[in-house]
């Protein structure tokens, strides 16, 4: 089982040795029985999902937008800029408190001009999920598309991966808004931790993983195209002799004028026997399209179209490339957002893991990088004053978000938004709910905190006996935090750095 999954993975830290899996489950069961909860057996994940589906079908829902408090902390949700108005869309996610996992299926809107959160209640919603991917398209047919993801049982012992595909129209009146499940056969297999972007009116899905309680998950390096004109899937067929990225999840993905650039990622490999080791990938790849825009992928029911799609798929080609400039050091769990107006992608946060057979040393980051993808990828750091610095001229200015992994970011206009993430301290973790923004349109940008993290809604309930490990490492002031030094690999799904929790 993987410990550190990148970016959109539901679990950041899990046991790397499959032989410990049964022992961990037995210990967890014993703890539940000791608490007096062992008498009630948890429903199977299939039963839980069936009940949720039945509830959705029988419940009459009228489109409604209501003001709500700051959202409950969550990880592995999607944060997307609304293409038709000044608002952010937050969908799904999960919260693990050390004992239980809650998976969300709500859709929230954040209005920056009012600093206000609202819940959007709509008919026919997708089932609750995390580690999915979402992309919003603009124009007259503006819509939010959601693919894949996973559902975790409340006790965290089993997982269900989705392969469904959903659309929510965004350019219509509220009364006409409703989720629609896209019935397009021949699409990607169930997965989470994948990435999705858009290239020339095509949605492109890359990689991901599937974990059906195996000793180690199955990772993917396949590429799928969804044609937004024909509403059809096609799988890119690469020549067997072509050099391709290794299977992986949680890559950073950026569309460019000639294709799609893929940075890094995470996977696990068997070392020997029941021992598995995580790998943080540091390579950069270009998925280049060499055909006409009309042939970028997709098919319909006609034989001619299918042949054309097969021909088009051969127009895509992988090539390993080198990045320039000041590149981020090796890390996973970083988040990436695209600013299409100037062909730049922004990467925030992440963690560098160094592990051997028994321990993991981790360093967390909160620095912001920008990479120009209009040509050869060239990285630069984005510098900003802090509240205590000489350049801080506004009372609204705040320190950058604390070092973290798996934050959720997007760009709307000239503003970069960062929501939540996870921080660690010893054997504990906290799922964050703070919201920050950075004005990219200013020569000297600055971080501004909209609201902080609500600690009351993200308590860590794991037994104190499993929290005996402690760290005294502090923020070194250089945009990183060293934590989890020399920690033994264990069953904890996440760990937390409570000492760095924002107020």
């Amino acid at each position: 089982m993987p410990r550190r999954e990148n970016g959109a993975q539901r679990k950041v830290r899990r046991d790397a040795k499959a032989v410990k899996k049964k022992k961990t489950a037995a210990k967890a069961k014993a703890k539940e029985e000791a608490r007096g909860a062992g008498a009630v057996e948890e429903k199977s994940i299939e039963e839980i999902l069936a009940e949720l589906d039945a509830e959705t079908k029988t419940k009459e829902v009228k489109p409604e937008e209501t003001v709500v408090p700051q959202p409950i902390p969550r990880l592995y949700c999607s944060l997307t800029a609304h293409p038709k108005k000044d608002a952010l869309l937050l969908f799904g996610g999960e919260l693990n408190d050390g004992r239980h996992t809650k998976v969300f299926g709500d859709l929230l809107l954040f209005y920056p001009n009012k600093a206000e959160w609202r819940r959007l209640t709509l008919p026919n919603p997708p089932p609750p999920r995390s580690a999915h991917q979402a992309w919003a398209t603009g124009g007259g047919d503006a819509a939010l598309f959601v693919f894949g993801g996973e559902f975790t049982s409340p006790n965290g012992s089993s997982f269900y991966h989705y392969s469904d595909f959903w659309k929510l129209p965004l350019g219509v009146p509220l009364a006409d808004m409703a989720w629609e499940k896209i019935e397009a056969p021949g699409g990607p297999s169930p997965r989470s931790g994948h990435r999705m972007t858009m290239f020339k009116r095509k949605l492109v899905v890359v990689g991901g993983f599937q974990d059906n309680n195996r000793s180690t998950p199955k990772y993917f390096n396949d590429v799928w195209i969804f044609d937004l004109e024909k509403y059809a899937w096609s799988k890119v067929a690469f020549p067997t002799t072509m050099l391709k990225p290794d299977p992986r999840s949680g890559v950073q993905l950026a569309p460019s004028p000639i294709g799609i650039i893929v940075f890094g990622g995470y996977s696990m490999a068997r070392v020997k026997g029941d021992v598995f080791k995580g790998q943080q990938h540091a390579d950069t790849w270009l998925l280049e399209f060499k055909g006409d825009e009309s042939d970028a992928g997709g098919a319909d029911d006609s034989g001619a179209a299918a042949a054309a799609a097969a021909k088009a798929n051969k127009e895509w080609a992988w090539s390993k490339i080198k990045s320039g400039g000041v590149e981020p050091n090796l890390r996973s769990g970083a988040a990436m957002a695209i600013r299409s107006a100037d062909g730049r992608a922004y990467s925030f946060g992440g963690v560098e893991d160094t592990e051997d057979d028994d321990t993991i040393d981790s360093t967390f980051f909160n620095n912001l990088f920008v990479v120009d993808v209009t040509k050869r990828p060239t990285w630069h750091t984005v510098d900003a004053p802090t509240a205590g610095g000489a350049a801080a001229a506004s009372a609204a200015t705040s320190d950058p978000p604390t070092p973290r992994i798996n934050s959720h970011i997007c760009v709307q206009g000239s503003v970069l938004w960062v929501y939540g993430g996870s921080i660690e301290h010893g054997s504990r973790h906290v799922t964050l709910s703070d919201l920050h923004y950075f004005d990219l349109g200013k020569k000297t940008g600055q971080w501004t905190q909209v609201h902080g993290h609500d600690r009351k809604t993200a308590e860590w309930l794991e037994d104190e006996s499993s929290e005996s490990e402690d760290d005294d490492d502090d923020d070194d002031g250089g945009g990183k935090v060293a934590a989890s030094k020399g920690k033994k690999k264990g069953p904890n799904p996440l760990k937390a750095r409570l000492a760095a929790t924002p107020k």
Side-chain angles (χ1 to χ4, degrees):
M1 301 288 285
R3 295 171 306 87
R4 171 88 61 191
E5 292 298 346
N6 200 29
Q9 302 292 7
R10 169 197 36 71
K11 301 298 182 190
V12 175
R13 193 166 295 224
R14 293 156 68 187
D15 193 7
K17 298 182 178 181
V19 70
K20 291 185 178 181
K21 184 178 178 182
K22 292 184 179 180
K23 294 181 181 179
T24 300
K27 289 180 181 179
K29 184 177 180 181
K31 289 178 181 179
E32 288 298 319
E33 291 175 344
R35 298 185 186 110
V40 180
E41 185 176 350
E42 183 174 88
K43 297 177 182 178
S44 70
I45 198 166
E46 290 79 13
E47 290 175 314
I48 296 172
L49 290 172
E51 290 180 359
L52 290 172
D53 182 60
E55 181 181 351
T56 299
K57 290 180 178 178
T58 57
K59 186 177 181 180
E60 292 187 10
V61 176
K62 181 180 179 181
E64 185 179 24
E65 189 175 303
T66 55
V67 177
V68 294
Q70 179 178 331
I72 296 174
R74 61 194 67 195
L75 280 175
Y76 318 115
C77 56
S78 55
L79 184 69
T80 313
H82 198 299
K84 303 298 286 187
K85 56 185 176 182
D86 186 16
L88 309 179
L89 295 155
L90 189 150
F91 173 70
E94 71 171 42
L95 173 63
N96 180 278
D97 63 10
R99 292 182 186 172
H100 305 98
T101 299
K102 178 176 177 57
V103 185
F104 301 96
D106 52 351
L107 177 63
L108 300 169
L109 285 167
F110 178 75
Y111 290 95
N113 59 338
K114 299 179 180 179
E116 181 177 85
W117 286 97
R118 297 187 181 187
R119 175 174 286 110
L120 194 56
T121 305
L122 300 171
N124 192 38
R129 69 192 59 210
S130 63
H132 55 279
Q133 281 288 278
W135 189 272
T137 60
D141 57 348
L144 178 71
F145 291 89
V146 174
F147 171 73
E150 66 183 48
F151 182 88
T152 307
S153 63
N155 66 6
S157 64
S158 56
F159 325 105
Y160 180 88
H161 292 263
Y162 295 105
S163 61
D164 51 354
F165 195 31
W166 295 82
K167 174 186 176 182
L168 175 65
L170 298 176
V172 299
L174 175 61
D176 297 329
M177 293 182 70
W179 285 97
E180 172 192 353
K181 186 177 182 180
I182 300 175
E183 302 292 350
S189 59
R191 65 188 65 196
S192 57
H194 51 288
R195 291 295 181 265
M196 183 169 71
T197 189
M198 192 167 80
F199 179 81
K200 300 183 183 298
R201 292 291 295 171
K202 321 291 177 182
L203 292 175
V204 183
V205 174
V206 177
F209 90 122
Q210 186 182 87
D211 178 7
N212 290 330
N213 301 311
R214 300 184 180 92
S215 59
T216 187
K218 178 181 180 181
Y219 289 86
F220 302 103
N221 64 348
D222 50 356
V223 177
W224 293 83
I225 311 294
F226 184 79
D227 191 317
L228 289 171
E229 302 297 334
K230 301 173 182 177
Y231 267 54
W233 286 105
S234 62
K235 183 180 180 180
V236 179
F238 298 105
T240 56
T241 56
M242 180 179 291
L243 186 65
K244 298 180 286 292
D246 294 329
R248 63 191 67 183
S249 64
V251 301
Q252 295 188 81
L253 207 62
S256 76
I258 62 172
I260 296 166
I261 299 176
V262 178
F263 303 97
Y266 182 91
S267 63
M268 292 203 71
R270 185 188 298 271
V271 178
K272 59 181 179 179
D274 292 322
V275 180
F276 298 88
K277 187 174 182 178
Q279 180 179 1
Q280 295 173 297
H281 298 274
D283 46 357
T284 302
W285 294 80
L286 171 63
L287 178 60
E288 185 176 2
F289 180 69
K290 299 181 179 180
D292 296 329
E293 179 176 345
S294 60
D295 293 332
D300 56 29
D301 294 333
S302 69
K311 175 181 179 297
N313 286 341
K314 295 180 181 179
E315 302 288 345
W316 292 89
W318 283 112
S319 59
K320 193 173 183 179
I321 60 176
K322 290 185 177 182
S323 300
V326 183
E327 298 182 70
N329 59 304
L330 180 65
R331 63 184 65 185
S332 62
M336 177 167 278
I338 313 302
R339 188 185 183 193
S340 54
D342 59 5
R344 294 185 176 188
Y346 292 84
S347 178
F348 174 78
V351 64
E352 180 181 5
D353 276 344
T354 303
E355 64 176 291
D356 55 29
D357 289 343
D358 298 312
T359 62
I360 309 166
D361 289 345
S362 302
T363 302
F364 297 83
F365 303 95
N366 67 342
N367 39 17
L368 179 64
F369 288 85
V370 59
V371 56
D372 186 348
V373 294
T374 60
K375 46 189 177 181
R376 177 194 176 192
T378 305
W379 290 90
H380 302 281
T381 57
V382 179
D383 297 320
T386 64
S394 170
T397 303
S398 64
D399 291 325
T402 54
R404 63 190 64 196
I405 53 177
N406 301 319
S407 56
H408 315 89
I409 73 174
C410 70
V411 175
Q412 183 166 57
S414 63
V415 178
L416 172 77
W417 292 90
V418 175
Y419 172 77
S422 179
I423 53 178
E424 303 184 354
H425 186 65
S427 63
R428 298 168 291 168
H429 88 273
V430 66
T431 300
L432 298 170
S433 59
D434 51 343
L435 180 66
H436 305 255
Y437 71 84
F438 187 92
D439 192 342
L440 303 171
K442 297 181 178 179
K443 291 184 178 180
T444 304
Q446 63 186 28
W447 285 104
T448 301
Q449 179 178 276
V450 178
H451 61 67
H453 168 64
D454 184 357
R455 300 188 186 187
K456 295 179 181 179
T457 58
E459 291 184 289
W460 184 247
L461 303 178
E462 189 178 46
D463 288 343
E464 292 182 1
S465 60
S466 62
E467 298 177 5
S468 58
E469 296 173 339
D470 196 14
D471 294 293
D472 297 321
D473 303 294
D474 296 316
D475 191 338
D476 66 359
K480 62 182 180 179
V481 165
S484 300
K485 292 294 182 182
K487 292 296 176 269
K488 293 183 178 180
K489 297 179 182 179
N492 296 326
L494 293 170
K495 295 189 175 182
R497 187 170 178 83
L498 294 175
T501 305
K503 297 181 178 179

